[in-house]
Amino acid sequence: MRDHRKLGRELELFGTDPLIGAGLPYWLPAGAAVRHALEEYVRDLERRAGYQHIYSPVLGKRELYEISGHWSQYRDGMYPPVELGGEQVVLRPSLCPHHALIYRSRGRSYRELPLRLAELGGQYRAELSGVLGGLTRVRAMQLNDAHIFCTPDQVAGEARACLQMISQAYAALGVEPVRYRLSLPGADGKYVGSPRIWEHATAVLTEILADAGLAYEADDGEAAFYGPKIDVQVADSSEREATLSTIQVDFYQPDQFDLHYTGADGARHRPVMVHRSIIGSMERAVAHLIERHGGAFPDWLAPEQLVVLPIADALLPAAASVARQAAELGLRARIAGPELGTLGSRIRSSRLVPYQAVIGDTEAAAGQIAIRLRDGRRLPPLPAAAALTSIAAHVAAHRTELWHAAA
Ligand SMILES: [Zn+2]
């Protein structure tokens, strides 16, 4: 594995500028293409799993975070409030309070539960400048977040479904966890809620891990301030561990926000909140993917999926036609013509592009392309339209191995 900061510069994925500030990376076109593919993937995965997507503002009043407990338990990680028209407004440290208010915006019946609200939204952390770097320690991040509001009976099933979504996403991304962690409170007293709800939430998570047959380690001091969590840990290029995915069972915030639903018995009941993230923040996920794949992303994530290589200038119109067809199929394609050097040097400089379509006189005359795969395999010339359609179908299937005509 290589450092994502170095690869990010070399591959022009992201950058920083002192005038924007430390911990505030910007995304260049190639990095934005990877991130966009990832965002589309996760939104689709969630939609199929019964989630509804929402948007909520990145600012909120100080009172909101006093109710949620962030103001008392997490203020060191928050930006200072901004005075605005006699009120104090803060950049949000998490999305949970906004989602709790959206749940509370009207009456809820047990028939609507589980209600799964998802958002790919901004959250902000006042990290000290000394620890900032690349995409892993940032002051602004886009989080793949969701909150499931459900009955106590539904918690285990929902958490199990989250674990399955995490496995499915990791298979598509080519990511492997180093371990599952049951994150429990420590002795430092930064936690809220009664011991009884902590025991209950911990019992639920322990049972889910046992049912799933997953080996895990319990770590004290790693819980969220409002509840314990299952964290899925991955390692970076220096073997440092980080949490990519998380599932948290929360009995505290539903109390704080006085959330309820009307049960089948006509009475008011308290829902449980399951907080979960499948791939964490876009920043951390892409940092991990860069290191995991050394820049050679699975075809569906690659910034460029196809490079078209005409062997002579006279074949540029044929190359343009292939690139156009590819774009129409939704593929990210580029032409690398003879002005960029010999065929060999163009192939080398495109070594991270999963598919390279070589066009010579014979191929152009027959409407064909000769595909080379990134790993060096070469396919016999194929009709261009059929080959591109097959590649597009393979990309849409979100696999880690490359398409191959013989497969
Ligand atoms: Zn949350």
Side-chain angles (χ1 to χ4, degrees):
M1 272 206 232
R2 291 167 63 191
D3 190 323
H4 81 277
R5 290 170 294 191
K6 186 165 180 291
L7 276 169
R9 267 194 308 276
E10 287 170 13
L11 306 176
E12 296 189 34
L13 298 171
F14 63 89
T16 52
D17 191 299
L19 271 179
I20 300 174
L24 298 169
Y26 52 78
W27 298 71
L28 292 162
V34 176
R35 170 169 161 175
H36 187 81
L38 191 59
E39 291 178 353
E40 294 282 289
Y41 169 75
V42 77
R43 279 209 184 94
D44 189 56
L45 185 70
E46 288 170 339
R47 191 179 51 74
R48 287 167 196 265
Y51 287 77
Q52 301 176 72
H53 290 98
I54 53 176
Y55 289 108
S56 57
V58 299
L59 293 163
K61 281 163 66 173
R62 172 180 158 171
E63 287 91 323
L64 177 60
Y65 302 99
E66 288 173 349
I67 294 169
S68 69
H70 286 87
W71 188 256
S72 61
Q73 307 305 120
Y74 191 70
R75 199 183 324 169
D76 290 349
M78 291 171 66
Y79 279 80
V82 175
E83 298 286 342
L84 202 63
E87 292 175 342
Q88 290 194 331
V89 177
V90 296
L91 270 171
R92 65 177 171 194
S94 82
L95 283 64
C96 332
H98 285 80
H99 290 193
L101 294 184
I102 290 169
Y103 176 89
R104 204 174 77 169
S105 61
R106 65 166 172 80
R108 303 285 179 183
S109 154
Y110 72 96
R111 291 191 196 86
E112 291 178 75
L113 307 186
L115 182 69
R116 308 180 186 94
L117 297 179
E119 180 174 359
L120 204 56
Q123 73 174 32
Y124 301 84
R125 191 172 288 167
E127 298 267 18
L128 298 174
S129 60
V131 299
L132 300 170
L135 293 177
T136 46
R137 296 304 289 264
V138 290
R139 288 172 161 165
M141 68 203 81
Q142 205 73 12
L143 189 68
N144 158 234
D145 202 9
H147 295 92
I148 302 165
F149 300 87
C150 61
T151 68
D153 289 350
Q154 292 168 336
V155 172
E158 290 301 308
R160 252 193 297 279
C162 294
L163 273 178
Q164 279 160 10
M165 283 174 83
I166 292 169
S167 298
Q168 190 183 342
Y170 282 22
L173 295 166
V175 168
E176 284 177 19
V178 288
R179 68 180 179 120
Y180 289 82
R181 184 176 79 184
L182 178 60
S183 298
L184 301 172
D188 53 2
K190 60 172 184 177
Y191 307 96
V192 291
S194 71
R196 189 184 56 79
I197 65 174
W198 279 85
E199 281 163 25
H200 186 180
T202 303
V204 171
L205 292 177
T206 308
E207 186 190 321
I208 290 156
L209 284 163
D211 280 359
L214 293 169
Y216 66 92
E217 289 162 30
D219 276 10
D220 292 338
E222 298 290 347
F225 71 81
Y226 49 77
K229 49 192 184 127
I230 294 171
D231 290 323
V232 188
Q233 304 294 104
V234 295
D236 73 5
S237 58
S238 325
E239 303 296 315
R240 265 192 309 263
E241 247 190 46
T243 300
L244 197 61
S245 316
T246 187
I247 303 171
Q248 310 169 6
V249 174
D250 179 7
F251 296 96
Y252 177 77
Q253 303 222 23
D255 271 346
Q256 289 300 104
F257 284 98
D258 191 25
L259 305 184
H260 50 262
Y261 62 91
T262 305
D265 56 2
R268 281 158 62 109
H269 298 270
R270 187 75 80 205
V272 184
M273 258 173 103
V274 177
H275 309 239
R276 53 103 280 204
S277 181
I278 302 299
I279 53 169
S281 71
M282 291 304 120
E283 287 75 13
R284 178 164 284 172
V286 172
H288 186 69
L289 289 167
I290 293 168
E291 297 192 350
R292 180 81 184 85
H293 298 293
F297 297 100
D299 62 9
W300 66 274
L301 279 169
E304 288 177 340
Q305 297 166 315
L306 179 78
V307 62
V308 187
L309 302 161
I311 62 169
D313 284 336
L315 299 165
L316 279 167
S321 163
V322 169
R324 200 163 44 242
Q325 288 178 66
E328 275 165 21
L329 289 164
L331 295 171
R332 295 181 285 277
R334 173 176 63 93
I335 300 170
E339 75 282 3
L340 297 174
T342 64
L343 183 62
S345 73
R346 284 182 278 152
I347 287 173
R348 277 193 299 281
S349 64
S350 307
R351 69 189 185 287
L352 296 175
V353 182
Y355 306 107
Q356 301 153 4
V358 179
I359 302 178
D361 289 325
T362 325
E363 286 84 15
Q368 295 181 326
I369 50 179
I371 293 178
R372 299 174 63 103
L373 304 184
R374 177 173 61 198
D375 58 19
R377 284 181 290 169
R378 297 164 74 152
L379 310 184
L382 297 163
L388 295 175
T389 303
S390 297
I391 290 173
H394 188 270
V395 162
H398 302 108
R399 323 239 322 225
T400 49
E401 79 282 11
L402 297 182
W403 172 76
H404 190 276

